[in-house]
Structure formats: structure tokens, C-alpha cells
Amino acid sequence: GAVVSQHPSRVICKSGTSVKIECRSLDFQATTMFWYRQFPKQSLMLMATSNEGSKATYEQGVEKDKFLINHASLTLSTLTVTSAHPEDSSFYICSATGTGSPDQPQHFGDGTRLSIL
Amino acid sequence: AQSVTQPDIHITVSEGASLELRCNYSYGATPYLFWYVQSPGQGLQLLLKYFSGDTLVQGIKGFEAEFKRSQSSFNLRKPSVHWSDAAEYFCAVASNTNAGKSTFGDGTTLTVKP
């Protein structure tokens, strides 16, 4: 089946650091990738939708200058948390959908646990 | 806009017992419906999906779900639960024009007693 690889799986860094998370579709071309944030014991909150070659569409309340998203190819999207602070600590998950018909479901990465000290 | 409700935050069942997790959705037309499972610290794994056709959908790991339009429900069932089924379960709904963008319920935590 379709595989989405997310890297790194865990990162711990100091406050003020910028952190980049990669999301790759390994065996299909992903025209659209989604970035989610999940707090402990809560559901997934959609942060933004990125389409290859276009600017990402951010959900209401998500700071686009804080969470930079790049989707430069059909197999790679990146999320950069700029000047991260402890309140940015969370579990970030990406997902990707392929080209073709509208009934393409999402394929999820295994998530990235971000801890800001 | 679509929405989904999972009424049960936490369910505990004994190993070998049957399971039903509830999911209700709100959407103007026939939606695309999904059930995912998430183990701690992991991403989501698709259990099954409904797009159209037969309203009883079979998924992986022995799970099934039934789409009931009249009740706006898509409940997940398994006849005999295994200890390895303990996890978080999410129901999700998407529009029938873009199944790639889903709205998730708040999840149900399943605990399995030995």
C-alpha cells in the first residue's frame, strides 16, 4: 500500500530554535499533503493544506509565519516551526493524497514528537 | 461544513467480547467516511472506508462498519476483541468532492481487559 515517511520521529531542542519536519510519499505522487497537530488525548487539528507548487492554505488561527510549509515536489513537503517555544511542543502528523480521482484517501506518516525545552 | 461526533470518550471491553464504537456525522450529502486506529506515539492506520455502494464495509483486522444514512451514523464493530486492539480510534468524514481532506472526531480510547 501507499507509504508516507515522516522524519524525524522525535526531536528535542532549545527554545528559539527552528525545526524542520519532512513528509515524503515513498511510492506514489502526492499532489496534496496535510499537516496536523495533535495534543495529548485529543484529536487531530488540521493546520494547513499544501499543494505541490503552490502556497499552503492555512486553517484559521494557525500562524503562517510561525509554521512554514513548503511542497516543492510531488513526493516531499516540509513543515518548519520557526523560533519554536515550549507551547509549540506537540505531536505533528502529515498525510498525503495521490493524483487521480477525488476519492483518494489520506495516507498518514507516523508523526513527529516535538519537545521544546 | 462537515463534522463528526464520537459520543464515547473511553470504552472498556473484555478480551473476546464484541465491540461497537459509535460515530455520527453531519454533512449535506453522502459523505466519505473513515475509521482510523492510532497506537500511542504513532500515526494513523486506516481500518476501513465508505465511499458508496454496499453500506456494510469490511476492513482490516476483523473490523467492519455500517453506514446508516437515516441515522447519520457509521459505527465500527468487531465480533471478538483482542488485547492488541487497545488503541485510540478516530472516525473521520470528508466531502464527496475531496476525500483527501477529512474532519476527525475526538476519538474513542479502547481499553481491553484480560
Side-chain angles (χ1 to χ4, degrees), chain A residues 34 36 38 42-44 46 49 59 91 93 97 102-106 108-110 113, chain B residues 32 34 36 38 41-44 49 51 90 96-102 104-106:
Chain A
F34 302 92
Y36 294 87
Q38 186 179 31
Q42 294 190 25
S43 187
L44 281 70
L46 180 65
T49 303
E59 297 299 305
F91 192 58
I93 305 176
T97 61
D103 59 351
Q104 292 281 322
Q106 297 180 73
F108 286 84
D110 284 339
R113 174 75 57 195
Chain B
Y32 289 178
F34 308 86
Y36 294 91
Q38 184 182 34
Q42 300 288 317
L44 275 67
K49 62 183 184 287
F51 286 169
F90 293 97
N96 54 14
T97 56
N98 184 4
K101 185 175 180 179
S102 297
F104 289 82
D106 288 337

Side-chain angles (χ1 to χ4, degrees), chain A residues 43-107:
Chain A
S43 187
L44 281 70
M45 180 192 78
L46 180 65
M47 300 174 64
T49 303
S50 76
N51 292 295
E52 184 265 338
S54 322
K55 288 186 177 180
T57 302
Y58 290 81
E59 297 299 305
Q60 192 172 9
V62 178
E63 300 175 61
K64 62 178 68 176
D65 295 330
K66 175 75 171 177
F67 300 100
L68 300 179
I69 291 172
N70 183 277
H71 192 165
S73 77
L74 283 171
T75 58
L76 174 64
S77 176
T78 60
L79 167 68
T80 301
V81 184
T82 61
S83 187
H85 293 283
E87 58 267 26
D88 299 322
S89 298
S90 192
F91 192 58
Y92 293 87
I93 305 176
C94 73
S95 72
T97 61
T99 58
S101 64
D103 59 351
Q104 292 281 322
Q106 297 180 73
H107 304 284

